[in-house]
Amino acid sequence: MSEPTGTVLQRLKRVLPYFHGSRWALPAVIGAIIVVALTEPVVPALMKPLLDRGFKGGSGLQLWIVPVALMGLFALRGVAGFVAQYSLAWMANQAMVALRSRLFGKLLEAPMTLFGQTSASSLSNTVVYEVQTGTNLLVNAMLSLLKDSLTLVALMGYLLWLNWKLTLIVLLIFPGVVLVMKVLSRRLHGITQASQQATDTLAYVVEENVLAHRIVRLHEAQPAQTARFDKLNLQLRRLAMKSTIAASAMTPLTQMLAAAALSAVICTAIWQSSTSGITVGGFAAFVTAMLMLIAPIKHLSESAAPITRGLAAVERGLDLIEQTPAETEGTHDVPRARGELLFEQVGVRYPGAVQPALDGVDLAIAPGQVVAMVGSSGSGKTTLANLLPRFVELGSGRILLDGVDIRDWKLSALRRQFSFVSQDVVMFNDTVAANVTLGQPVDRDRIMQALEAANLGAFVAALPNGIDSPVGHNAAQLSGGQRQRLAIARALYKDAPLLVLDEATSALDTESEQAVKVALARLMAGRTTLIIAHRLSTIEHADRIVVMGAGRIVEAGTHAELLAAGGAYSRLYRLAATTGLDASQENESVLA
């Protein structure tokens, strides 16, 4: 939990650029607030002549003037207040849209490490809720701050004109109010940051239990998860009460200061009435104006809390924008690569890991070649594949695509060359067509061709709206095999020259696996393909098989060559044939 950096004004300057889209509203707000503030002293100003002359017979004061003046005054204030409120709401919503768009764009371009360090619930909470809450709090608080500050100035000006000696007593309360606001604002900032972190953790627990609802029920973990949730929920409640105490303490403290000043003013005014002849109307006007000061002072003291909360919420998003660097990239850009890959002494070590994930890997893959990778879990297969589109960054060595270091490629061009199909298929809550095209130009004929090639043509044709039918949340309405084939259709539609298959059939039943295999065979035709497989029976026809262990290549060759060599692959194959285990289930000692 960090302390606020810079003054409130300096921190507000970070937010101002997002209000540039509503510049017309600012003059409207200021003009309307000036009207409201300048009309505030009119009511006490009317008290003096009304009391001094209005109750005397023959004063010449027309009776109709007072109600007409009051009605006109409050009509003017009402119109001005509406203009100010509407203009500020416009500014708040414009700023919220601009900040959200910038944040979402930043998330789409952020380095992959961000998503490993920050939970999805925390990021979504920042983009959706924190930005909205922060901008609304800030704008409403700034409206109050501006309006009440100007009102305060107008009333103080009238008080000085009416009786400068009594006004000096009123001025004594302001240093105390400023001190109270400063101390409590700093405390509120710390509590607000702690509340944000607690909210993120609570949202993460909910996210985990939603995603793992089957496992929770299967293991009867509801009591443990409920206790975990309740602990965090109570912590959040305690923080909310601390925030309430800090925010609520401002009002009574400032009101006590105001009451002390009022008491001093009354005593001094009574003394003045006997020495300098202060009139009843003058005294009533002064006390009325002074009592009217209490409301803006109260609002100003209360504005510290929403400004602090709003700044803390918005700054969270600003920190994400400013402190998250964009992915580094080169300038090399070609429409379509040939598909030649060369790994030279490639090494990767994840933060905090004792052993490297990859250690000195050398591998050459010719265009159009099918290379399969096998090995126990943790041997580095998936890391090697994730290096290609730079989902993971190299620690040492280099990878060349068509003779050019992947770090010298423009990222959009590099990722254009790859299609991924894995066992963990990700689908969007959209139509079949949208999930197939996924950002590519929409060609309905090509969509149908891709679906036919993925053995999904008949299934999609039977849907109520064909390719325009929704697939539900992460395609939950489809079977595992159908989701897998939909992912293959997506890869076919993209038509990238390089293909990565990461356990694409490992979680399927036999019937679904056969349908997916046919679709994969069509997808792999003419493409450089890297297959990560556990089932050795699925890779026998690969051009080359690479066996990995502890981040290194243990051996490589064709299926026949590796069986004849009698090494690690041969032992894995025989074990799978006799026990039915796949390569991931075999002990790492086999690859030693």
Side-chain angles (χ1 to χ4, degrees):
M1 184 167 59
S2 61
E3 290 293 318
T5 56
T7 64
V8 171
L9 186 59
Q10 290 171 332
R11 293 162 66 197
L12 282 170
K13 285 181 179 178
R14 296 177 66 194
V15 187
L16 289 180
Y18 296 95
F19 287 88
H20 283 175
S22 52
R23 290 179 180 175
W24 68 268
L26 187 58
V29 171
I30 294 174
I33 288 176
I34 288 175
V35 170
V36 172
L38 290 179
T39 55
E40 194 76 26
V42 174
V43 173
L46 288 173
M47 295 290 293
K48 189 175 188 299
L50 186 64
L51 290 175
D52 286 343
R53 294 188 292 119
F55 289 96
K56 294 179 180 179
S59 65
L61 184 67
Q62 297 295 320
L63 186 63
W64 60 269
I65 293 177
V66 175
V68 170
L70 285 175
M71 289 178 65
L73 173 68
F74 282 96
L76 177 63
R77 287 170 58 85
V79 171
F82 173 80
V83 170
Q85 195 71 40
Y86 179 83
S87 302
L88 271 170
W90 179 279
M91 291 173 64
N93 284 283
Q94 286 292 103
M96 181 175 63
V97 168
L99 186 52
R100 269 185 182 162
S101 297
R102 181 75 189 281
L103 268 171
F104 189 69
K106 192 68 176 180
L107 289 181
L108 296 181
E109 299 172 355
M112 299 299 164
T113 52
L114 173 68
F115 304 100
Q117 297 166 352
T118 313
S119 69
S121 55
S122 174
L123 293 173
S124 62
N125 183 52
T126 299
V127 175
V128 178
Y129 300 109
E130 297 284 5
V131 168
Q132 180 175 350
T133 301
T135 51
N136 284 333
L137 282 173
L138 271 181
V139 168
N140 289 325
M142 294 309 294
L143 170 63
S144 175
L145 188 65
L146 188 58
K147 183 185 75 171
D148 291 310
S149 296
L150 290 175
T151 300
L152 207 59
V153 170
L155 287 171
M156 288 301 298
Y158 173 69
L159 288 174
L160 283 168
W161 175 80
L162 196 62
N163 191 323
W164 67 269
K165 293 178 182 178
L166 292 179
T167 305
L168 291 179
I169 298 174
V170 178
L171 289 173
L172 293 176
I173 71 172
F174 287 101
V177 172
V178 171
L179 180 62
V180 168
M181 291 174 66
K182 183 177 180 180
V183 171
L184 292 178
S185 293
R186 186 171 292 275
R187 172 143 179 85
L188 266 173
H189 181 272
I191 295 171
T192 300
Q193 285 197 324
S195 297
Q196 288 174 333
Q197 293 173 358
T199 301
D200 283 348
T201 307
L202 190 68
Y204 183 65
V205 170
V206 174
E207 178 188 354
E208 278 188 324
N209 279 271
V210 169
L211 295 175
H213 62 279
R214 292 187 179 89
I215 296 297
V216 170
R217 286 161 177 75
L218 185 65
H219 291 270
E220 297 182 354
Q222 294 97 326
Q225 292 302 315
T226 299
R228 182 184 174 202
F229 179 88
D230 288 344
K231 180 181 178 182
L232 291 166
N233 205 18
L234 287 172
Q235 180 187 354
L236 197 58
R237 174 188 171 277
R238 285 192 293 269
L239 288 168
M241 294 310 300
K242 287 181 180 180
S243 176
T244 301
I245 292 170
S248 301
M250 290 185 184
T251 299
L253 287 173
T254 53
Q255 285 180 333
M256 287 174 63
L257 292 170
L262 178 61
S263 301
V265 164
I266 291 173
C267 293
T268 306
I270 292 172
W271 174 76
Q272 280 188 343
S273 66
S274 62
T275 57
S276 59
I278 185 172
T279 66
V280 173
F283 176 73
F286 190 93
V287 171
T288 301
M290 185 181 171
L291 290 173
M292 290 175 70
L293 279 176
I294 294 176
I297 291 174
K298 175 178 178 287
H299 295 156
L300 285 172
S301 67
E302 290 173 344
S303 68
I307 287 175
T308 300
R309 291 185 185 124
L311 276 174
V314 173
E315 282 179 325
R316 199 172 194 204
L318 294 176
D319 289 341
L320 186 62
I321 291 172
E322 295 167 6
Q323 297 174 14
T324 303
E327 293 180 285
T328 58
E329 60 179 339
T331 57
H332 185 70
D333 187 356
V334 295
R336 189 176 182 86
R338 291 184 296 109
E340 180 186 18
L341 286 171
L342 181 62
F343 297 79
E344 294 182 344
Q345 287 296 297
V346 169
V348 172
R349 185 190 295 272
Y350 292 110
V354 178
Q355 298 295 328
L358 292 173
D359 186 11
V361 172
D362 290 306
L363 180 64
I365 303 175
Q369 194 173 39
V370 177
V371 175
M373 306 190 71
V374 299
S376 58
S377 296
S379 59
K381 307 182 299 297
T382 300
T383 297
L384 196 68
N386 284 332
L387 284 169
L388 296 174
R390 291 184 58 191
F391 293 160
V392 174
E393 292 295 338
L394 280 164
S396 59
R398 62 178 187 161
I399 301 174
L400 306 180
L401 173 57
D402 290 353
V404 180
D405 193 315
I406 60 171
R407 289 168 292 197
D408 294 331
W409 279 72
K410 189 177 180 180
L411 275 174
S412 59
L414 176 67
R415 290 168 181 167
R416 190 188 310 137
Q417 314 305 325
F418 292 93
S419 288
F420 269 64
V421 180
S422 69
Q423 61 179 332
D424 298 320
V425 177
V426 176
M427 292 291 162
F428 292 84
N429 192 4
D430 210 329
T431 63
V432 172
N435 275 285
V436 171
T437 56
L438 200 61
Q440 303 290 314
V442 177
D443 183 328
R444 297 179 72 86
D445 291 335
R446 278 188 61 211
I447 293 171
M448 285 307 304
Q449 290 170 10
L451 291 168
E452 290 286 354
N455 284 340
L456 272 179
F459 168 74
V460 172
L463 293 175
N465 297 308
I467 63 173
D468 297 314
S469 300
V471 299
H473 173 64
N474 202 21
Q477 298 176 15
L478 308 183
S479 69
Q482 289 165 345
R483 294 170 75 248
Q484 205 77 25
R485 281 177 280 161
L486 191 55
I488 293 169
R490 177 190 291 169
L492 282 163
Y493 191 87
K494 185 179 181 182
D495 191 28
L498 294 101
L499 175 65
V500 177
L501 304 176
D502 188 356
E503 310 290 354
T505 63
S506 64
L508 302 178
D509 58 77
T510 304
E511 183 179 352
S512 297
E513 182 181 359
Q514 291 306 313
V516 170
K517 279 183 178 180
V518 173
L520 285 174
R522 293 170 181 160
L523 176 60
M524 292 164 58
R527 292 180 171 84
T528 303
T529 304
L530 187 65
I531 304 174
I532 299 172
H534 285 160
R535 297 183 185 179
L536 302 186
S537 59
T538 64
I539 58 170
E540 294 179 2
H541 300 295
D543 297 322
R544 190 153 38 125
I545 298 171
V546 176
V547 184
M548 298 196 67
R552 292 176 173 272
I553 294 178
V554 177
E555 58 182 355
T558 65
H559 173 71
E561 290 170 347
L562 293 175
L563 284 182
Y569 179 80
S570 177
R571 294 195 295 274
L572 282 172
Y573 191 82
R574 288 197 303 271
L575 184 69
T578 56
T579 65
L581 296 174
D582 60 38
S584 68
Q585 294 169 297
E586 169 55 359
N587 191 282
E588 289 194 19
S589 63
V590 175
L591 302 176

